[in-house]
Each structure stands twice: as C-alpha cells, then as structure tokens.
Amino acid sequence: MILGIETSCDETAAAVVTEDGRILSSVVSSQAALHARFGGVVPEVASRRHLELVSPVVRAALDDAGQSLDAVERVAVTQGPGLVGALLVGISAAKGLAWARRLPLVPVDHLEGHVASLYLEPGALEPPFTCLLASGGHTILLAVREKGRSERLGTTLDDAAGEAFDKGARLLGLGYPGGAAIDRIAREGDPAAFDFPVARVPGLDLSFSGLKTALLYAVRDLEPVELEARRADLAASYQRAIVRALVGRLRAAAEATGLERIAVVGGVAANSELRAALPDAAFAPLQLCTDNAAMIASCARFVEALPYPRYLGLDAYASLS
Amino acid sequence: MLVLAFDTATDVTTSALVRDGDVLGERVGEARTLLEDLDELLAGATAGASDLDALVVGTGPGSFTSTRIGLAVARGLGLALSVPAAGVSTLDALAAAHPGAYAVLDARRREVFVAGPRAVSPDELELEPGTLCIGNGAVRYRATLERLGAEVPPDDDERHLPHARLHAALARELGPVEGIEPIYARLPDAELSRT
Ligand SMILES: [Zn+2]
C-alpha cells in the first residue's frame, strides 16, 4: 500500500494506492477559489494553504481508504517541478511521516506522475506510447517506452496550453480557472468564426503567445455590445486553435518516434474538444487529469524508493531538469 | 517525558531532545535537513521516534518558507506518532535566553520582527537604555540598535540563536499538531498589493 502526497501547485492532495494500481482513495482539496481573485496561483498564498490542509487531507485519504498508517508500506511525494515553497510543505510532511515510521520514501517527478495516471486500474495502459502532457504549468510531448521514465520530445516555448486557456478566459471576461469556462461557452459558438493562427515553430515544440495576442486584438476590435454577442464564437475559435496545435504536434511526435499509440494527460486532457479530436487516444480518467496524489502514488510503483535514512536531506526542485 | 523540539524559522535551524527538563542533545543546522538533525538526536540518545512523548515547534516569525518546513515536519510526525505538541514563538524562545532580553529577528526588507509580533524598521524601535537586544536582527542592525541605546552581545554570542531547548522549556499546553499555526506577521505580497 502506497500513500501519495502532492503539493506542487494549488491542489493539496493525498491518496492511497495498492501495489497493483487500484485507487483506494484520492482526496484533492483544490485552492482554485482561493486564487480566483488574483486571476492565477499566488505561490505564497498556495503554500500557506498547503500547510493548513496537508494533515486533514492525508487523514481523509486514509479514512476513505479504510486504512490506518500501519498498512502503508511506502510514502510517495512530489519532489518537483513546481512551486518550491509549496513542494516543501508536502516533502517536509512526507519526510516526517516516513522517518517516524522508518518507511521508505519515494520522490516522484510531477510530470512522470501525470503519465502514471494512465497506469491505474481499471484499464491501465502499457507502454510504449507517445504522450501529450498538457496542463496549466506544462505542455510537453513525451516518448514513453517504459513506466516511470519518459523521453522529452518537445515543449512549449512560452505559455503552457492551460495557461493559454486561462489567459484567453481572462481576455473574454470568463474568470479563473479558464479551461473549463472556455470549454463550456465554446459549445454555443462557431469555431470557424475567427481565424486564429496556430504558431509554426520548428521541431516538436509549440508556442501559444501569438495566439493569445491574436485574441487580444480581436477582443479589442469589437464594441462591448458586439463582444458580448460574439464571446462564444471567440471562445470556440480560440479553443479550436489550441486543440489544433496540440493534435498536430501529438500526431507529428507519434510519427517521429514510431510509437503509434497516443495518450493525453494533464488538466487540458479534460477538454471536450481535444477528446473529440483524438478518438484513438487514451485519455487519463477525468478525475485524474488535474493534479492529484493517486498519480504520484501510481508512479512510485515504478521508480526507486529511498530507504531510511537516505531521504532525510531530500530537497525540492523547482524547474525541469 | 521525552520531548523533541525544533525551530526552522530563522536562517539557523535548531533542535533539541529533552527528557524531563534535561537536555540530552542539541543540533544546529538548516531547515531542509532538519530530519537529519532529528535522526542524530534520537540516535545519540538511543531512542526511537516512537519513544517521543511530545513535540515542540518554533512558530516564527521568520522566513515564510523555512518556518513552514518545521511546521510541516511536525505535522508529518504528528500523523505518524499521534503525539501532542506545542508551538512556541521564535521571539519568545529567543528572549528566554537572558532575563529581560529583547528579541530582534531579521525580517529582511530593512525590517526586524519584534514582540507583538510585528515587522518594523529598526530605527523605529523605542528601547530602554541598556536593553539587551539578541537575535540575528540585533546582529545585523547592531549599529542602529546601539545608537538607540541598546546593548548587543558580540556576533558569535550563543544567545543570538533561538535554541530549541528554550522552546522545550517554554512549552505549556500540549494539543494536536494541526492546531499549531505559523506566525507570519506579514501578509503575502499579493495581498499587500491588492490593498
Ligand atoms: Zn500537474
């Protein structure tokens, strides 16, 4: 039995997962409402909240699983990338917990964690496959040949896809977080109404900053009344452009690697248009798209556990290695 | 009663293992390697974590991130061991090093944390002549404090560190670890810029 803890951004999460990949519990306490008034995640605000929530969330995960700590054989925790102050809350709590019980600790890379959301039951996926990880913090294409380790093929040169959704939603006055808001209103709009450019960058990288600027100009050109009337069209066209970019790059990546099977993970994997545009792809289950600890515990099954006392000095890392 | 105490709020992390008032061991280190210190303390006393009867943790004020490290470690220990705990202000522990001492912690941004707790510019402190000022803020702003009539011990004086044995001595009411809140004494910048 593995206890997972995740505090890399604005979700405080804990989960209990079995060695064969069954989720016994997965508790996620989202701080989205807390950060909404700032229009994005504020690191210090997030870290303060993680400290308030970490114990109750771990307790809730154990309760939901019907387990006591005595049944936990390993503690898994997100080591990075993410907000260092936020990561350190989870890492410190996990180290204290593991040390006091002489349990092994498994430091998990957050991005590998997202990929490992595909290895949970029911319907666990087996490598090899080409994977798109698209979230508020990351947009990365990966070649996955074995569990727990993937090879980076390309990434966004500026904004992450989720960030592009957030910024677009702000320009359209749709609030935060933006992905779900745009997805919802886009259903009433015409995706061909506006011709937004999909940036062309070399290789398997992506760029969303030009798209955001195009939306800004389109919004600026409209009178307030007109903007109101065309908001759904703008959202639908903007979403279409993001989805096209992601789908195009994922297909190209699959071709480049020869790993034909494709998968999508991360918060943007919940987007309904992206799901519709990739009928042949494996998607992370909806409840495992946004940050959670079940994926961290899942990943811990495939990466090296640090036995006591090797993890006592474990530190967080902020950015991609 | 075996008590484990630690404080990560300042640039120097302190820890101590205390049995019925007797200090069994002390460590000085860094917040991110606090567990290494705690491990050595227990090993030195041939005790295990399960032998602990209580935790005492420094609650700041200090660096936001490092204060949280101590409190998060305490929460992890609390989950694992179900032992009661107490929080002690880093300023109170520091001041306990010497009768009548005034604790002055470096708060960065040209400010210090003092009793209140509050963050103020060191020039604005009103001190009785001859007040003994201790802490890393007193060391950093020695010239200012001495001009204000205070006395500041030499930089390497032990009393400038918030020794965790002092936290253990000051701890009174024990309760759940989760009830112990950090003392930030400042809002996050994002909140400040909104007002
Ligand atoms: Zn994520």
Side-chain angles (χ1 to χ4, degrees):
Chain A
M1 207 100 64
I2 303 163
L3 172 67
I5 298 173
E6 150 70 39
T7 63
S8 68
C9 190
D10 64 338
E11 324 276 0
T12 316
V16 179
V17 168
T18 62
E19 292 296 336
D20 55 2
R22 282 177 301 121
I23 302 174
L24 298 189
S25 67
S26 177
V27 177
V28 180
S29 181
S30 173
Q31 304 179 8
L34 186 66
H35 297 278
R37 64 203 174 100
F38 302 106
V41 177
V42 180
E44 176 59 23
V45 173
S47 302
R48 289 185 180 197
R49 194 76 180 126
H50 283 307
L51 183 68
E52 292 167 12
L53 292 170
V54 65
S55 296
V57 163
V58 168
R59 268 187 223 289
L62 290 166
D63 285 353
D64 285 4
Q67 300 292 335
S68 81
L69 270 175
D70 296 337
V72 172
E73 293 153 301
R74 276 177 288 168
V75 179
V77 68
T78 308
Q79 188 184 11
L83 307 168
V84 169
L87 288 162
L88 282 170
V89 173
I91 291 173
S92 301
K95 284 202 290 189
L97 205 166
W99 174 75
R101 294 191 156 246
R102 291 291 188 272
L103 293 171
L105 185 76
V106 192
V108 173
D109 180 276
H110 182 79
L111 309 183
E112 294 298 340
H114 272 296
V115 177
S117 65
L118 296 164
Y119 306 145
L120 287 159
E121 298 295 342
L125 191 70
E126 287 291 325
F129 54 88
T130 303
C131 188
L132 166 67
L133 159 57
S135 68
H138 308 282
T139 299
I140 300 180
L141 289 149
L142 300 160
V144 183
R145 293 189 173 85
E146 57 181 313
K147 291 177 181 172
R149 193 183 323 178
S150 38
E151 180 198 337
R152 203 162 304 150
L153 303 168
T155 186
T156 178
L157 302 176
D158 36 61
D159 294 344
E163 221 176 337
F165 273 111
D166 283 340
K167 289 180 176 175
R170 201 180 313 160
L171 288 172
L172 294 170
L174 295 173
Y176 172 89
I182 287 189
D183 197 350
R184 207 175 313 116
I185 192 173
R187 283 171 211 165
E188 290 138 39
D190 174 8
F194 291 85
D195 186 22
F196 290 130
V198 176
R200 288 180 207 287
V201 289
L204 291 170
D205 290 333
L206 299 105
S207 165
F208 293 105
S209 64
L211 175 62
K212 180 189 64 194
T213 310
L215 177 65
L216 173 68
Y217 289 148
V219 168
R220 210 184 266 167
D221 286 346
L222 294 172
E223 296 297 326
V225 184
E226 238 181 326
L227 175 61
E228 194 57 50
R230 307 213 61 190
R231 201 186 304 269
D233 287 346
L234 285 164
S237 304
Y238 185 74
Q239 173 171 276
R240 169 74 42 104
I242 294 174
V243 167
R244 273 199 181 150
L246 295 175
V247 169
R249 278 301 190 248
L250 178 54
R251 298 272 183 222
E255 200 162 313
T257 57
L259 308 178
E260 286 172 19
R261 270 202 309 173
I262 52 173
V264 187
V265 298
V268 177
N271 181 271
S272 63
E273 178 155 346
L274 184 63
R275 287 188 172 241
L278 291 167
D280 54 332
F283 279 84
L286 278 179
Q287 71 278 11
L288 299 178
C289 286
T290 46
D291 291 347
N292 62 86
M295 69 186 197
I296 302 304
S298 173
C299 192
R301 296 179 294 150
F302 311 109
V303 296
E304 192 198 358
L306 302 177
Y308 164 84
R310 275 178 48 201
Y311 52 81
L312 298 180
L314 189 79
D315 203 349
Y317 57 85
S319 45
L320 302 173
S321 46
Chain B
M1 172 135 153
L2 190 63
V3 176
L4 184 62
F6 46 89
D7 187 309
T8 57
T10 69
D11 49 350
V12 173
T13 284
T14 59
S15 51
L17 187 65
V18 180
R19 176 172 277 139
D20 303 322
D22 291 339
V23 179
L24 303 183
E26 290 186 276
R27 284 285 181 284
V28 173
E30 291 173 44
R32 293 179 192 214
T33 48
L34 169 65
L35 261 311
E36 292 179 354
D37 290 339
L38 302 188
D39 193 57
E40 284 175 24
L41 281 176
L42 286 181
T46 55
S50 54
D51 299 323
L52 293 172
D53 296 303
L55 305 172
V56 180
V57 51
T59 52
S63 143
F64 295 160
T65 295
S66 72
T67 303
R68 269 191 296 269
I69 289 176
L71 284 160
V73 165
R75 277 157 167 73
L77 298 176
L79 285 165
L81 303 170
S82 303
V83 289
V88 172
S89 145
T90 306
L91 287 167
D92 290 349
L94 194 57
H98 190 94
Y102 190 63
V104 183
L105 287 168
D106 186 7
R108 306 203 184 132
R109 306 180 184 188
R110 302 178 165 275
E111 289 187 326
V112 289
F113 290 124
V114 292
R118 59 202 173 102
V120 290
S121 162
D123 311 287
E124 290 166 24
L125 289 173
E126 286 174 20
L127 300 166
E128 295 288 327
T131 303
L132 186 75
C133 289
I134 53 176
N136 60 1
V139 170
R140 180 161 181 184
Y141 297 104
R142 166 186 298 282
T144 307
L145 297 176
E146 286 176 347
R147 198 168 61 240
L148 293 171
E151 277 178 35
V152 181
D155 287 7
D156 60 357
D157 192 294
E158 278 289 298
R159 289 172 296 182
H160 288 305
L161 296 187
H163 290 288
R165 62 169 185 269
L166 301 169
H167 297 69
L170 288 179
R172 290 290 171 267
E173 274 172 40
L174 296 171
V177 178
E178 286 150 73
I180 302 173
E181 301 286 348
I183 300 169
Y184 289 116
R186 254 187 201 147
L187 289 170
D189 287 346
E191 298 273 9
L192 290 173
S193 60
R194 278 170 56 86
T195 52

PDB file of all heavy atoms in Angstrom, chain A residues 8 110 114 133 135 138 291 295, ligand 1:
ATOM      1  N   SER A   8       2.437  20.368  -5.369  1.00  0.00           N
ATOM      2  CA  SER A   8       3.355  21.144  -6.207  1.00  0.00           C
ATOM      3  C   SER A   8       2.789  22.478  -6.673  1.00  0.00           C
ATOM      4  O   SER A   8       3.536  23.383  -7.005  1.00  0.00           O
ATOM      5  CB  SER A   8       3.767  20.320  -7.430  1.00  0.00           C
ATOM      6  OG  SER A   8       2.664  20.134  -8.281  1.00  0.00           O
ATOM      7  N   HIS A 110       6.775  15.240 -10.877  1.00  0.00           N
ATOM      8  CA  HIS A 110       5.366  15.551 -11.110  1.00  0.00           C
ATOM      9  C   HIS A 110       4.916  15.170 -12.525  1.00  0.00           C
ATOM     10  O   HIS A 110       3.794  14.688 -12.721  1.00  0.00           O
ATOM     11  CB  HIS A 110       5.143  17.040 -10.861  1.00  0.00           C
ATOM     12  CG  HIS A 110       3.729  17.481 -11.022  1.00  0.00           C
ATOM     13  ND1 HIS A 110       2.778  17.275 -10.049  1.00  0.00           N
ATOM     14  CD2 HIS A 110       3.097  18.102 -12.044  1.00  0.00           C
ATOM     15  CE1 HIS A 110       1.618  17.763 -10.471  1.00  0.00           C
ATOM     16  NE2 HIS A 110       1.780  18.272 -11.676  1.00  0.00           N
ATOM     17  N   HIS A 114       2.012  12.547 -13.816  1.00  0.00           N
ATOM     18  CA  HIS A 114       0.882  12.690 -14.749  1.00  0.00           C
ATOM     19  C   HIS A 114       0.814  11.499 -15.703  1.00  0.00           C
ATOM     20  O   HIS A 114      -0.267  10.958 -15.957  1.00  0.00           O
ATOM     21  CB  HIS A 114       1.019  13.986 -15.554  1.00  0.00           C
ATOM     22  CG  HIS A 114       0.401  15.179 -14.874  1.00  0.00           C
ATOM     23  ND1 HIS A 114      -0.949  15.270 -14.634  1.00  0.00           N
ATOM     24  CD2 HIS A 114       0.949  16.316 -14.387  1.00  0.00           C
ATOM     25  CE1 HIS A 114      -1.212  16.429 -14.032  1.00  0.00           C
ATOM     26  NE2 HIS A 114      -0.077  17.075 -13.865  1.00  0.00           N
ATOM     27  N   LEU A 133       1.409  15.766 -22.460  1.00  0.00           N
ATOM     28  CA  LEU A 133       1.063  16.249 -21.126  1.00  0.00           C
ATOM     29  C   LEU A 133       0.743  17.724 -21.274  1.00  0.00           C
ATOM     30  O   LEU A 133       1.615  18.525 -21.637  1.00  0.00           O
ATOM     31  CB  LEU A 133       2.236  16.043 -20.159  1.00  0.00           C
ATOM     32  CG  LEU A 133       2.260  16.911 -18.893  1.00  0.00           C
ATOM     33  CD1 LEU A 133       0.997  16.738 -18.071  1.00  0.00           C
ATOM     34  CD2 LEU A 133       3.474  16.576 -18.050  1.00  0.00           C
ATOM     35  N   SER A 135      -1.134  20.952 -19.324  1.00  0.00           N
ATOM     36  CA  SER A 135      -1.760  21.433 -18.092  1.00  0.00           C
ATOM     37  C   SER A 135      -1.508  22.921 -17.968  1.00  0.00           C
ATOM     38  O   SER A 135      -0.994  23.551 -18.892  1.00  0.00           O
ATOM     39  CB  SER A 135      -1.158  20.696 -16.894  1.00  0.00           C
ATOM     40  OG  SER A 135       0.194  21.079 -16.740  1.00  0.00           O
ATOM     41  N   HIS A 138       2.467  22.991 -17.735  1.00  0.00           N
ATOM     42  CA  HIS A 138       3.336  22.301 -18.688  1.00  0.00           C
ATOM     43  C   HIS A 138       2.596  21.936 -19.966  1.00  0.00           C
ATOM     44  O   HIS A 138       1.407  21.656 -19.938  1.00  0.00           O
ATOM     45  CB  HIS A 138       3.881  21.010 -18.072  1.00  0.00           C
ATOM     46  CG  HIS A 138       4.520  21.232 -16.741  1.00  0.00           C
ATOM     47  ND1 HIS A 138       5.775  21.762 -16.615  1.00  0.00           N
ATOM     48  CD2 HIS A 138       4.051  21.061 -15.494  1.00  0.00           C
ATOM     49  CE1 HIS A 138       6.063  21.879 -15.329  1.00  0.00           C
ATOM     50  NE2 HIS A 138       5.040  21.468 -14.625  1.00  0.00           N
ATOM     51  N   ASP A 291      -4.215  17.912 -11.081  1.00  0.00           N
ATOM     52  CA  ASP A 291      -3.248  17.381 -10.124  1.00  0.00           C
ATOM     53  C   ASP A 291      -3.934  16.576  -9.020  1.00  0.00           C
ATOM     54  O   ASP A 291      -4.967  16.972  -8.501  1.00  0.00           O
ATOM     55  CB  ASP A 291      -2.446  18.524  -9.500  1.00  0.00           C
ATOM     56  CG  ASP A 291      -1.509  19.168 -10.513  1.00  0.00           C
ATOM     57  OD1 ASP A 291      -1.314  18.577 -11.587  1.00  0.00           O
ATOM     58  OD2 ASP A 291      -0.975  20.247 -10.215  1.00  0.00           O
ATOM     59  N   MET A 295      -1.927   9.686  -8.869  1.00  0.00           N
ATOM     60  CA  MET A 295      -0.938   9.520  -9.943  1.00  0.00           C
ATOM     61  C   MET A 295       0.488   9.499  -9.371  1.00  0.00           C
ATOM     62  O   MET A 295       1.364   8.827  -9.916  1.00  0.00           O
ATOM     63  CB  MET A 295      -1.097  10.638 -10.985  1.00  0.00           C
ATOM     64  CG  MET A 295      -0.692  12.014 -10.502  1.00  0.00           C
ATOM     65  SD  MET A 295      -1.095  13.296 -11.741  1.00  0.00           S
ATOM     66  CE  MET A 295      -0.056  14.653 -11.142  1.00  0.00           C
TER      67      MET A 295
HETATM   68 ZN    ZN C   1       0.272  18.933 -12.928  1.00  0.00          ZN
END
